[in-house]
Amino acid sequence: MTLALTDVSADLGGHPILHGVSLEVVPGELVALVGPNGAGKTTLLSVMSGDITPTSGQATLDGVELHRWKVAALARQRAVLPQEQRLAFGFRAVDVVRMGRAPWARLPEEDLDDLVVAEAMQRTDVLGLADRSFPTLSGGEKARTSFARVLAQQTSVVLLDEPTAALDIRHQEQVLSEARRLAADGHAVVAVLHDLTVAAAHADRICMLADGRLRADGPPREVMTPDVLGEVYGHPVDVVDHHGRLVVLPHLIALTEEDPCASVLS
């Protein structure tokens, strides 16, 4: 399943957020959406999921506009990990993961529910939390449980909004390794990431947004240059190669008694 946006613009509350964004995500690749705060990353992911309909342009999955898909059919093709993990009731962790199987109810795939849920929880290191009430989990545990729900949904397209935000180093690597595994298995995976070094290490492709526009799109080594990053983020950086991995290092800001916002150290 190919996810394609063509000249997409989108508003929120009457305010324009996205402006003429075009990109395509194909099976077998992990795409990282990066950019400064307010660049439009979450809005773009919402357009990709079908939760927001563009004010102009087209967003399609398998050649069909997302707003034309039936809800249940779309839920069997794309899964979404939102930025915030909120539940109104005290469901157990295993019940939250099982929610990912809802689109397959009354279909032959339903017979695999128990197996799929257990495997998803194993892959995200939350099997030991199965009987815990979701609200009692830490932020990182909630994030991993919600990611397990996404895995259990078994969709062609996987959309992740800041999947590593609440995680320690080990679990960041675990989650992104699972995202890479999904891509290697033929899924189309999109992840909003703030850590540029992490994005460069795991993504096949970087889509960089600024002011609601796609400013760069390509392999990490082509997109993540000091000039591009400095312009988009409004701050100078160095990009170094560390054992074959790109590391992004922001320049430090020097503070002086005379001028608390003095200058940027190179």
Side-chain angles (χ1 to χ4, degrees):
M1 287 255 174
T2 296
L3 180 64
L5 305 186
T6 305
D7 199 25
V8 162
S9 295
D11 293 354
L12 284 181
H15 300 285
I17 305 295
L18 298 176
H19 310 277
V21 175
S22 295
L23 62 86
E24 186 175 270
V25 184
V26 299
E29 71 174 347
L30 170 55
V31 175
L33 295 182
V34 304
N37 293 336
K41 302 182 295 295
T42 294
T43 301
L44 181 57
L45 204 74
S46 294
V47 170
M48 290 178 163
S49 72
D51 291 336
I52 293 178
T53 300
T55 53
S56 63
Q58 284 190 332
T60 64
L61 179 62
D62 199 30
V64 179
E65 288 186 271
L66 285 166
H67 68 86
R68 297 186 183 280
W69 281 79
K70 292 184 177 180
V71 173
L74 184 59
R76 290 191 288 271
Q77 297 302 333
R78 66 96 182 94
V80 184
L81 179 69
Q83 195 175 117
E84 296 184 14
Q85 319 303 327
R86 293 181 179 177
L87 283 174
F89 303 100
F91 295 103
R92 296 179 304 161
V94 66
D95 296 325
V96 173
V97 179
R98 193 174 293 276
M99 290 175 188
R101 300 301 299 165
W104 303 102
R106 296 179 296 280
L107 293 173
E109 289 83 356
E110 186 179 39
D111 294 340
L112 300 174
D113 283 2
D114 289 343
L115 179 63
V116 170
V117 167
E119 181 184 6
M121 296 186 77
Q122 181 69 43
R123 287 166 61 181
T124 55
D125 195 25
V126 294
L127 201 54
L129 305 174
D131 290 324
R132 287 274 303 276
S133 172
F134 188 80
T136 70
L137 302 180
S138 71
E141 290 168 341
K142 289 178 180 177
R144 283 157 35 221
T145 299
S146 296
F147 183 50
R149 174 189 57 75
V150 167
L151 294 181
Q153 200 168 330
Q154 292 191 315
T155 57
S156 299
V157 177
V158 177
L159 306 174
L160 310 171
D161 196 353
E162 298 189 36
T164 62
L167 303 183
D168 56 42
I169 293 174
R170 178 170 75 91
H171 288 114
Q172 282 185 21
E173 287 298 310
Q174 182 185 46
V175 165
L176 287 174
S177 292
E178 286 297 331
R180 282 228 50 82
R181 174 179 165 179
L182 286 170
D185 287 344
H187 301 259
V189 185
V190 181
V192 173
L193 296 172
H194 274 291
D195 189 318
L196 297 174
T197 297
V198 168
H202 292 278
D204 299 302
R205 192 168 127 225
I206 303 287
C207 291
M208 191 175 299
L209 293 174
D211 300 320
R213 292 178 170 82
L214 188 61
R215 298 293 295 274
D217 180 1
R221 289 184 179 274
E222 293 181 11
V223 169
M224 300 183 70
T225 66
D227 288 345
V228 172
L229 291 173
E231 178 187 351
V232 168
Y233 284 87
H235 188 89
V237 303
D238 290 321
V239 180
V240 299
D241 191 313
H242 180 69
H243 301 299
R245 295 177 64 163
L246 296 182
V247 178
V248 179
L249 300 171
H251 291 193
L252 299 179
I253 297 177
L255 300 180
T256 68
E257 292 182 3
E258 295 80 13
D259 183 359
C261 300
S263 61
V264 177
L265 293 177
S266 59

